[in-house]
Amino acid sequence: MTSQNKASTGHLLALLTIMIWGTTFISTKVLLIDFTPVEILFFRFLIGYVVLFLIYPCSLRVTSFREELLFIAAGLCGVTLYFLIENIALVYTLASNAGVIVSIAPFFTAVLAHFFLDGERLHRRFIVGFGIALTGIILIGLNGSFILQLNPLGDLLACIAPAVWAIYSVLMRKIGELPYHTIGATRKVFFYGLMFMLPALFLFEFHFDLGRFANMANLSNFLFLGLGASALCFVTWNRAVSLLGAVKTSVYIYLVPVITVIASALILYERITWITLLGAGLTLVGSFISERKVRSKASTNMLPELQ
């Protein structure tokens, strides 16, 4: 595969992932009627793990304990801590606050990649794009109300979540450079994520009441979260990171609020204000500016190193 084909494939995979992740809130909102946040988290990744095992049942044997630690850390950060911290944050702060704060993940990723990954330098244009995109995301979160309610504990947790995701992105960039199958590597990450999740089942409200899955709405939404948002999207996202790098891929996170707004209008019939449209436009412009700089620089430094 040529460098140009690798880049095109990476961008398509990242866009597909974000298109799905941007609509997961609808399924989560429906499931919260009968399930607690930790139940949704555990069942969706359990379904994802089973699906990945059926698709790729081969055992993934690492060559060193150092490589094993990469998978352990990725499972802890990208599966367990990120989603648990985000869900707990929503208990103490507004969804709009959390949505805006979590969207700064690309900035954290760029900073970590700058120091810990080769060929992923932090550039001024990325910072400019980040500022424009963040302005748009804030406008989307406010949705024309111009009311900002600070909730210190929840907002602090919401700040920790994107930092944890940034660590996961850097870890997956390193894992992507190893000679392992993407599906097998993702399955291994899910395994450790589920293992670290087990203690949380005893700390938070959790029930193994499988009768709730008899409800077709619950079953269909869990299949969407487990098959699409977990099994498929983590594979496509991890592959995109290995092809594009952690920074270029993370830029697509800016688009999540935009997709969420569109999905809200089409599925939930929520009203879109002119402030929301302005915010969506700024977010798209900011993501383009950030991505354009990374593309021009990183494509020459990083793609030849990919396997």
Side-chain angles (χ1 to χ4, degrees), residues 47-299:
I47 293 172
Y49 177 83
V50 172
V51 171
L52 292 180
F53 181 81
L54 293 175
I55 296 175
Y56 189 81
C58 304
S59 176
L60 190 70
R61 300 182 183 277
V62 299
T63 58
S64 68
F65 182 67
R66 179 180 176 277
E67 291 183 358
E68 192 75 36
L69 284 177
L70 290 176
F71 287 100
I72 293 173
L76 175 63
C77 294
V79 176
T80 307
L81 289 182
Y82 173 75
F83 287 98
L84 275 180
I85 293 172
E86 187 179 70
N87 287 346
I88 295 172
L90 288 172
V91 176
Y92 298 101
T93 189
L94 301 176
S96 57
N97 286 31
V100 170
I101 295 172
V102 168
S103 296
I104 65 177
F107 177 75
F108 284 118
T109 302
V111 172
L112 288 180
H114 175 81
F115 290 104
F116 295 104
L117 295 176
D118 295 331
E120 301 211 32
R121 305 287 296 175
L122 184 60
H123 300 283
R124 182 180 301 173
R125 189 154 187 161
F126 178 91
I127 303 298
V128 173
F130 166 76
I132 296 174
L134 184 60
T135 301
I137 292 168
I138 292 174
L139 291 177
I140 292 173
L142 293 174
N143 196 27
S145 65
F146 295 101
I147 298 175
L148 179 63
Q149 299 181 25
L150 297 179
N151 302 274
L153 178 58
D155 292 343
L156 175 61
L157 290 173
C159 285
I160 295 174
V164 171
W165 182 262
I167 296 173
Y168 168 77
S169 296
V170 171
L171 290 169
M172 288 312 303
R173 176 71 166 98
K174 291 183 176 294
I175 291 175
E177 294 174 345
L178 301 176
Y180 299 123
H181 195 283
T182 303
I183 296 178
T186 304
R187 192 192 74 204
K188 196 175 186 68
V189 170
F190 275 27
F191 172 78
Y192 283 117
L194 288 168
M195 291 300 101
F196 283 116
M197 208 181 295
L198 291 178
L201 304 186
F202 299 96
L203 297 175
F204 302 94
E205 185 179 356
F206 184 88
H207 304 284
F208 270 106
D209 180 10
L210 300 182
R212 292 172 291 180
F213 287 90
N215 183 314
M216 286 306 299
N218 290 340
L219 180 60
S220 60
N221 281 290
F222 262 118
L223 289 177
F224 173 71
L225 291 177
L227 295 175
S230 298
L232 172 64
C233 283
F234 269 75
V235 170
T236 54
W237 183 262
N238 293 342
R239 182 57 178 165
V241 170
S242 68
L243 291 173
L244 300 176
V247 177
K248 291 177 71 175
T249 309
S250 70
V251 168
Y252 280 90
I253 294 176
Y254 292 145
L255 302 181
V256 170
V258 178
I259 296 171
T260 298
V261 166
I262 296 173
S264 298
L266 295 177
I267 300 174
L268 300 180
Y269 303 104
E270 294 184 356
R271 186 173 65 94
I272 298 181
T273 66
W274 69 269
I275 291 294
T276 304
L277 292 176
L278 176 61
L282 288 174
T283 303
L284 292 173
V285 171
S287 62
F288 173 77
I289 292 174
S290 294
E291 160 60 22
R292 185 182 178 187
K293 179 62 180 178
V294 175
R295 177 185 302 171
S296 62
K297 184 72 175 177
S299 60

Side-chain angles (χ1 to χ4, degrees), residues 12-43:
L12 288 174
L13 291 175
L15 182 60
L16 170 64
T17 304
I18 292 302
M19 291 285 288
I20 295 176
W21 278 350
T23 59
T24 55
F25 81 100
I26 298 175
S27 293
T28 302
K29 190 171 184 177
V30 172
L31 290 172
L32 281 172
I33 298 174
D34 294 326
F35 295 84
T36 64
V38 70
E39 288 173 341
I40 296 173
L41 178 60
F42 180 77
F43 285 128

